[in-house]
Amino acid sequence: NLGLTAEAVDDKEAAVDYYLRARDAAKPSSRIKQKSAQKIKKLRPGMNRAEARQWYGLLSIAAGYDDNAVLAPDDVIEQTGGQEDVFTDLYAAGSTYISGDFDAGIRIDAGGYARFYADQTEYDYATAFADISRKQQYDFWHLSAGFGGDVDFVENEHYAITPRLKFALMRDFAPFRLRLDNELGRISAVKEYDYLSGFQNRSTITITRRIPDGSLSTGYAFEYNDREDLERENEFFSYSPLRHEFRTKFAYRPLPGWKIKLRAEYRKSNYPDANVQSDNGETVRKKREDDRLFLSLRSGYALTDSLELFGKFCRTDNQSNFRDYEYTSNQFMIGAEKTF
């Protein structure tokens, strides 16, 4: 049951580990042993027990179209023309246990993401990450604690480095899974963006329920920021929001080989410190408030157990009491995803 739950939420590594333990613990003639062996063969064909526990990788390549690559306000687009562009998305990640396994072990995760625009190259973005964490099972709770960091790039130039402390707790209440996460990071941006430097803490709670041929999850995240902010003569701009985010995700397999994922997020951002600007000789003080709605639909078809073709649509609608921060964006992409 734990393996089925992990598989339903696309945590293949955990699912394989649960199936391996079920297979090894069951009697030779047990149906559980047979069903576990079938699942292991499906998820990790050709891998033995040690290999399945020690290594997992993913590579994704996609091409897409963005109708607002620069995130310009809608009225600006109407006046100046379209800000659309095509892009290439690349994502790679891998994880391995350097000792132990899911129940008690030390794991390394690393990877990176990059987006390259054809024309709007000043909006090219890339990030690389690496984490090391300790996994431990305590009765019904699974604990993960560790540290790592991100290195960010904008327009092929180093932009910021962010070391992080990470903590997670998981527990299964079949057919539900509860997960609690907390990440504390210290952002160190280069001089040009030093107003973004500071602390960021993000706490998340997620509940996932397995359903026939799929899963449904819902969650809430609270984000605290304490940045340097941007201060210059007679002006001040806050970059330290308090954010509340509500999210839900629905994954479903309508037919063998097909997978559909729906995702929705609503984020409320409040900036406690008022921005200070000059407007026609008068000083204006106003706190910024943003409401962002994000929707995505992804459909994928598995050509093999480890290769999937997918198409994805994303829409972002950001409303703000500052006109310069209001925008909508629609993105379409097609790509391929390979697991190892």
Side-chain angles (χ1 to χ4, degrees), residues 242-245 266-270 289-292:
L242 298 176
R243 285 177 168 150
H244 303 271
E245 182 178 289
Y266 168 73
R267 189 179 76 183
K268 177 71 174 181
S269 300
N270 293 306
E289 296 181 3
D290 285 13
D291 294 275
R292 191 187 75 173

Side-chain angles (χ1 to χ4, degrees), residues 107 109 130-134 145-149 163-167:
R107 174 171 145 177
D109 296 271
D131 305 306
I132 183 169
S133 56
R134 169 71 178 177
F147 63 92
R164 299 182 188 276
L165 295 175
K166 298 186 175 184
F167 177 83

